[in-house]
Amino acid sequence: MLRIPQLRLPVGHTGEELTERVKKLLKCKETPEITIVRRSIDARKKPELYFNYILNVRVKNQAQVYSRCDKKQVMIWEEKPYRFPVLNLRGKTRPVIIGTGPAGLFCGYMLSKAGLCPILLERGMPVEQRVKDVEFFWQSGNLNPESNVQFGEGGAGTFSDGKLNTLVKDTHGRNREVLSIFVEAGAEPEILFDHKPHIGTDILQRVVVNLRKAIRDMGGEVRFGAKVTDIESANGYITGVIINNSERLSAEYVVLAPGHSARDTFAMLYEKGIVMEAKPFAVGMRVEHPQELINLSQYGQRQVPALGNAPYKVTAKASDQRGVYSFCMCPGGYVVNASSEPGRLAVNGMSYSGRDGKNANSAIVIAVTPEDYGSDHPLAGVEFQRRLEKKAFEVAAGKVPVERYGDYKRAVMGETNENGEVSLLTKDFSPSVKGEWAFAPVHEILPGALKKAFVEGMESFGRVIHGFNDKNVLVEGMESRTSSPVRIVRDDSLQSSLKGLYPCGEGAGYAGGITSAAMDGIRVAEEIAVCIARGESPLESLP
């Protein structure tokens, strides 16, 4: 096929206009078969907005057409589709997968496709019940510790914006495979080529259900309310797992994909001697702005129907050299109570597929390292999170605490100025929060160095996005679940210090979002399938 690596058209162009531009570049009259590989937004001349495209094109008489083309604008391209290394393994041992977040689901999907009929164990509930449990919590404040924004089918990402972009370098085609599987399960085809693809929590919930059904249709098993409370081993090899403190399930290949909030699971693994280490992550606060303010900054217009609401990404360095940056930005979204433990409060951001809410929100987070945790224990980062979440719960009596940025800054920096002129767009705007909320001293949650870094970051971002540090901007906390504070160490064969146990995904410390977790799940599935195909059962060496 042919590839056009750069084609630029105004936002709002028609399909016919795209086709005519391609025909002009190829200098041919026939209508080619066009596949969009990548589409990004060019807003450098806002309010004039453009799409930049990378295209694959198929035409008859390709050699003849290519001979006429400008070789700087058109090239020969060979597509290299992803291939799972082995298939048709039915009848072999059944791997066990702990967790049905993106890592566990995609690992289970690929192992099922290979014929291995894996058993997926999920401590929480299926999406249908989980949605009801979460809505009940947001309305009543009554938390179900096993079925909430963190725990249940689909993992924490199920109640998020469903962002699918990743910075992971991919030379094996796993990224494209993840997106293709999402489309097969009901996501919009645009995620295959958008520069910053997203699904939205409403569609993502349906996609997760379809992935579960596909796994079962291929012979896999998915069990809910099945919390792994212990593991068994012999001579350094895993031999089984204990479910709900009562049921034993024999296993020689176990994928550990628990999610970043499975703190009790981390504690159990530590007690079993599984080698793990504390890792850096980030903490901070959610901030809300009127979406029109962000649209004006990014697009030069209050509304761009062809693009929807605008995202942003900002980064800075605080005076103590800590990184401060936006995380999980949700255009037209909501701040959600994402707590999973009684007496502690954490928030997250969420958007529906339309991203059509009145406010934009993102976490403004500060990098922290094991030196900040107050201990060299592998689980010290977990306790660091818990201390912050306990304070967040206390300042608003269990409701999501909210504070105007002007008040936050004044309390932290001792300044009385009003951050300059107040934008009309921020005047009297109110929170978009899923769950009960209350105005409270949010500035009391973070320790001194981190809250100062937060303010310095906000002031820096105000120089990039006009109004970002407006005094009426809403600050809400506590954003503490950006990534896992723990890494369960694995070797080159992707196994932990207990052989046959494969740490996987974000909770285990090897991913940072839906797509990278799913890619890691596929990678672990490849490793296990190859080992099984070779007959390399880890238990064969036991006496």
Side-chain angles (χ1 to χ4, degrees):
M1 72 178 69
L2 302 177
R3 169 159 287 191
I4 299 174
Q6 173 66 31
L7 188 146
R8 187 167 177 256
L9 283 171
V11 165
H13 70 82
T14 65
E16 289 77 11
E17 288 171 327
L18 176 64
T19 299
E20 289 303 314
R21 280 290 300 277
V22 170
K23 290 168 67 175
K24 185 176 180 179
L25 282 174
L26 299 182
K27 300 178 182 178
C28 70
K29 295 182 179 180
E30 70 170 277
T31 299
E33 178 186 330
I34 301 171
T35 300
I36 301 173
V37 178
R38 179 62 60 92
R39 180 180 69 183
S40 59
I41 299 168
D42 183 348
R44 290 174 295 180
K45 296 183 178 180
K46 55 181 177 285
E48 294 181 27
L49 305 171
Y50 296 88
F51 281 131
N52 284 330
Y53 288 100
I54 300 174
L55 304 173
N56 284 345
V57 182
R58 295 184 185 276
V59 291
K60 298 176 182 178
N61 304 314
Q62 176 177 295
Q64 182 179 355
V65 170
Y66 181 64
S67 67
R68 300 194 299 263
C69 295
D70 182 340
K71 304 307 184 287
K72 294 180 180 180
Q73 296 179 312
V74 182
M75 62 183 67
I76 299 291
W77 187 260
E78 181 181 355
E79 196 73 17
K80 297 179 180 179
Y82 172 82
R83 292 285 186 268
F84 195 72
V86 289
L87 297 171
N88 302 315
L89 297 175
R90 191 170 298 276
K92 304 287 186 180
T93 184
R94 300 184 72 181
V96 171
I97 299 171
I98 302 172
T100 62
L105 275 177
F106 275 78
C107 185
Y109 181 92
M110 301 309 290
L111 291 176
S112 297
K113 198 171 182 180
L116 285 169
C117 303
I119 302 170
L120 283 71
L121 304 176
E122 169 57 54
R123 67 189 293 171
M125 294 292 106
V127 163
E128 299 90 337
Q129 180 59 47
R130 188 183 176 201
V131 169
K132 295 176 183 178
D133 293 338
V134 169
E135 291 286 352
F136 180 72
F137 168 57
W138 286 341
Q139 294 167 9
S140 68
N142 294 321
L143 174 69
N144 182 339
E146 298 298 339
S147 183
N148 47 61
V149 171
Q150 306 296 342
F151 296 144
E153 186 179 27
T158 304
F159 292 91
S160 71
D161 190 47
K163 283 177 281 294
L164 300 179
N165 53 301
T166 178
L167 299 178
V168 174
K169 293 182 179 179
D170 178 33
T171 59
H172 298 86
R174 297 186 189 112
N175 189 345
R176 182 76 177 184
E177 182 69 5
V178 167
L179 298 178
S180 297
I181 292 171
F182 271 126
V183 171
E184 290 172 10
E188 295 296 326
E190 284 79 5
I191 68 171
L192 292 171
F193 54 77
D194 274 338
H195 178 56
K196 294 184 177 180
H198 78 102
I199 296 181
T201 189
D202 47 342
I203 293 178
L204 186 56
Q205 290 166 12
R206 298 200 301 268
V207 167
V208 167
V209 171
N210 289 335
L211 287 174
R212 179 222 305 165
K213 291 178 178 177
I215 289 170
R216 286 177 169 170
D217 288 345
M218 291 185 287
E221 181 180 347
V222 185
R223 297 175 58 181
F224 298 103
K227 181 179 179 179
V228 173
T229 51
D230 204 354
I231 57 176
E232 293 186 345
S233 62
N235 296 346
Y237 292 84
I238 195 162
T239 58
V241 299
I242 305 299
I243 303 169
N244 297 329
N245 294 309
S246 58
E247 179 188 352
R248 183 184 187 280
L249 182 64
S250 295
E252 51 186 308
Y253 290 94
V254 177
V255 179
L256 179 65
H260 59 40
S261 296
R263 295 163 173 174
D264 47 4
T265 302
F266 297 149
M268 179 270 289
L269 294 168
Y270 176 78
E271 292 299 321
K272 289 292 181 179
I274 307 300
V275 176
M276 59 182 67
E277 59 190 16
K279 63 177 277 292
F281 65 112
V283 297
M285 300 292 161
R286 282 272 152 186
V287 297
E288 286 197 79
H289 298 84
Q291 182 62 55
E292 287 190 349
L293 183 147
I294 303 301
N295 291 347
L296 281 169
S297 172
Q298 302 300 90
Y299 295 155
Q301 305 175 44
R302 292 194 178 200
Q303 299 289 339
V304 184
L307 297 180
N309 283 322
Y312 63 80
K313 182 176 179 61
V314 287
T315 62
K317 282 277 189 182
S319 58
D320 63 359
Q321 298 306 301
R322 292 180 187 270
V324 186
Y325 56 94
S326 58
F327 171 80
C328 187
M329 193 273 152
C330 299
Y334 301 85
V335 175
V336 305
N337 190 330
S339 304
S340 61
E341 292 183 344
R344 297 184 175 90
L345 186 140
V347 298
N348 194 11
M350 181 186 86
S351 292
Y352 296 109
S353 57
R355 287 179 162 181
D356 53 1
K358 64 178 182 177
N359 290 351
N361 77 76
S362 75
I364 300 300
V365 295
I366 307 101
V368 293
T369 68
E371 287 73 28
D372 294 302
Y373 304 159
S375 167
D376 59 1
H377 193 284
L379 299 181
V382 171
E383 293 309 311
F384 178 77
Q385 287 177 319
R386 280 176 162 157
R387 291 195 298 271
L388 296 176
E389 291 171 12
K390 183 174 184 292
K391 186 65 176 178
F393 185 91
E394 292 170 346
V395 297
K399 298 178 181 179
V400 173
V402 180
E403 187 172 24
R404 297 287 180 184
Y405 175 65
D407 296 328
Y408 189 105
K409 179 184 176 184
R410 188 179 305 111
V412 173
M413 308 299 283
E415 299 180 9
T416 58
N417 66 300
E418 299 294 352
N419 293 334
E421 183 179 353
V422 177
S423 168
L424 293 177
L425 290 175
T426 67
K427 187 177 182 181
D428 300 325
F429 89 105
S430 58
S432 292
V433 175
K434 295 287 187 178
E436 296 181 297
W437 64 273
F439 283 109
V442 177
H443 62 269
E444 295 180 1
I445 300 173
L446 288 173
L450 298 185
K451 69 177 75 174
K452 181 182 178 183
F454 173 83
V455 171
E456 290 176 345
M458 289 291 291
E459 295 302 297
S460 175
F461 304 149
R463 294 188 284 273
V464 177
I465 299 176
H466 179 70
F468 199 91
N469 60 334
D470 187 289
K471 74 169 188 175
N472 286 327
V473 166
L474 297 166
V475 181
E476 299 147 0
M478 164 83 219
E479 179 86 23
S480 54
R481 311 285 182 93
T482 55
S483 66
S484 180
V486 179
R487 177 174 289 112
I488 302 169
V489 177
R490 68 187 187 189
D491 60 20
D492 291 342
S493 68
L494 309 186
Q495 297 180 73
S496 72
S497 56
L498 180 64
K499 300 309 173 187
L501 181 66
Y502 293 77
C504 180
E506 186 165 347
Y510 295 96
I514 292 173
T515 300
S516 61
M519 290 167 63
D520 198 53
I522 292 177
R523 184 184 177 198
V524 170
E526 292 168 356
E527 186 73 24
I528 290 174
V530 168
C531 288
I532 292 175
R534 291 173 179 168
E536 298 176 358
S537 171
L539 297 183
E540 289 179 354
S541 60
L542 289 177

